Structures are given as C-alpha cells and as structure tokens.
Amino acid sequence: MIRRPPRSTQGVSSAASDVYKRQDIIECGKGNLFGPGNAQLPAPPMLMFDRITKVNKDGGMHGKGEIIAELDIKPDLWFFECHFLGDPVMPGCLGLDALWQMLGFYLGWLGYPGKGRALGVGEIKFVEEIKQDKQLIQYKVNIKKSMSKKGFSIGYGDGQIIHQDKIIYHANDLKVGLFNE
C-alpha cells in the first residue's frame, strides 16, 4: 500500500504543490511523517536544510518532479566551528548530503516504502564556497527517474545548490534507494 504523507497547510502558497516547515521535517527524522520503517531524514545537526519550499511530481528540468529546500546560513552552524579553523567554510560533502537527503525525502513523499540510503553520484562541481556571510542557500533536485520494485525503490536526479540565483554546486546523477528490510 502506498501512503501519501499529510499535507502541511500553514503557509502553503498556491504555486507550491507541497511545503514542509522545519517541524514537519524534524518529524520526518523521527519517523513520524511516512510511517515506521520508511524514509526518514537525519536529525539535527545532520539535517542539512530548514524547510522544503516546493515538491511536485511533474516539474523540474526533466518534467518528472522536483524538490526545493532552503538552509539559513548562520555563523554559529556547527561545521563552521571546525572546518577550517580560522577559515570557516561549509564542507562540500554536507551540501552533497543535503541533495541526497532531499531525493530520499522525495521517494518517501511519493509513498514508496523502505529506509533510505545514498547510492552514488556521477559528477560534482563546486564553483563557490559556502561561508558564514551567505545568509541563505537553496537546494534543488530535478528528478530524472523514480521507480519501485518489490523490496526497493530508486530515485535519480540532478542537484544544484544556489546562492542569490547563482548555481554554486552542481551534482549530476544523484542516486538514492529505499530498501524494505
């Protein structure tokens, strides 16, 4: 049985298919959004976005869906303290992880069952660093394909991290799976 998560209704604009506030995505991390044993986001501090501003099944560059999220950049974010001492910068791997987190969330949002795991990425390009002065970054995953077979589901997409309308990271061929145990 495919389950559809409850819609978040507060603050939903008519242009967005679905919007999830911070508390909604925290509940996803606790296993309360898609049901026990299904897609979960990591808990803070590994949760790499503050809100999902858009998710749909037919938008994006490939017309097969998209998910868009945002992270408020605050100078006291945990990774700035340790990466690098005297030269604080968000680790590139955390931006990549955010894109994998979003693709896994998307599969759960579609109603596919199972626990999520990152499976790979084709090509990554870092154009600009994320430093403490950025204030807000946007993550976008354009879905290329999603499918479910007995025992697992897989999603493929291309991701971008955007600051002030400029793509600063690009990740092609993201791959995430949901696996039934």
Side-chain angles (χ1 to χ4, degrees):
M1 177 167 110
I2 293 179
R3 283 174 282 187
R4 179 76 179 193
R7 283 185 157 228
S8 174
T9 54
Q10 288 187 333
V12 175
S13 75
S14 59
S17 297
D18 267 301
V19 172
Y20 293 86
K21 295 181 180 268
R22 180 135 178 108
Q23 189 56 43
D24 298 324
I25 59 178
I26 296 291
E27 289 301 310
C28 183
K30 294 177 182 177
N32 296 332
L33 192 59
F34 302 124
N38 290 317
Q40 284 181 249
L41 290 167
M46 280 304 298
L47 177 61
M48 292 309 304
F49 45 90
D50 292 314
R51 68 200 140 269
I52 295 171
T53 59
K54 186 176 189 180
V55 59
N56 62 59
K57 292 192 297 188
D58 54 8
M61 289 175 26
H62 308 292
K64 299 194 178 193
E66 67 184 334
I67 181 166
I68 300 171
E70 295 176 339
L71 175 65
D72 297 319
I73 302 297
K74 297 174 225 129
D76 64 349
L77 286 169
W78 67 273
F79 46 79
F80 287 133
E81 203 175 290
C82 55
H83 190 265
F84 296 100
L85 295 178
D87 183 21
V89 61
M90 179 176 165
C93 61
L94 293 180
L96 176 60
D97 199 66
L99 299 172
W100 278 324
Q101 290 175 22
M102 292 169 56
L103 186 51
F105 182 94
Y106 181 81
L107 293 173
W109 180 82
L110 286 176
Y112 294 154
K115 294 182 178 184
R117 298 293 184 261
L119 299 176
V121 63
E123 176 187 42
I124 305 166
K125 184 175 183 180
F126 302 107
V127 178
E128 193 173 299
E129 295 176 321
I130 299 173
K131 293 195 170 246
Q132 294 169 308
D133 63 346
K134 291 276 194 253
Q135 295 184 346
L136 177 78
I137 57 170
Q138 181 184 66
Y139 302 104
K140 184 183 283 190
V141 177
N142 293 288
I143 307 305
K144 294 169 90 172
K145 181 179 181 180
S146 61
M147 57 186 237
S148 186
K149 295 185 177 186
K150 189 175 182 171
F152 70 95
S153 303
I154 294 184
Y156 302 87
D158 293 329
Q160 302 164 341
I161 299 179
I162 301 161
H163 177 252
Q164 295 181 343
D165 297 322
K166 178 183 177 189
I167 297 170
I168 60 173
Y169 291 20
H170 188 79
N172 289 331
D173 300 321
L174 296 158
K175 185 177 175 183
V176 170
L178 298 184
F179 299 91
N180 301 325
E181 295 183 322

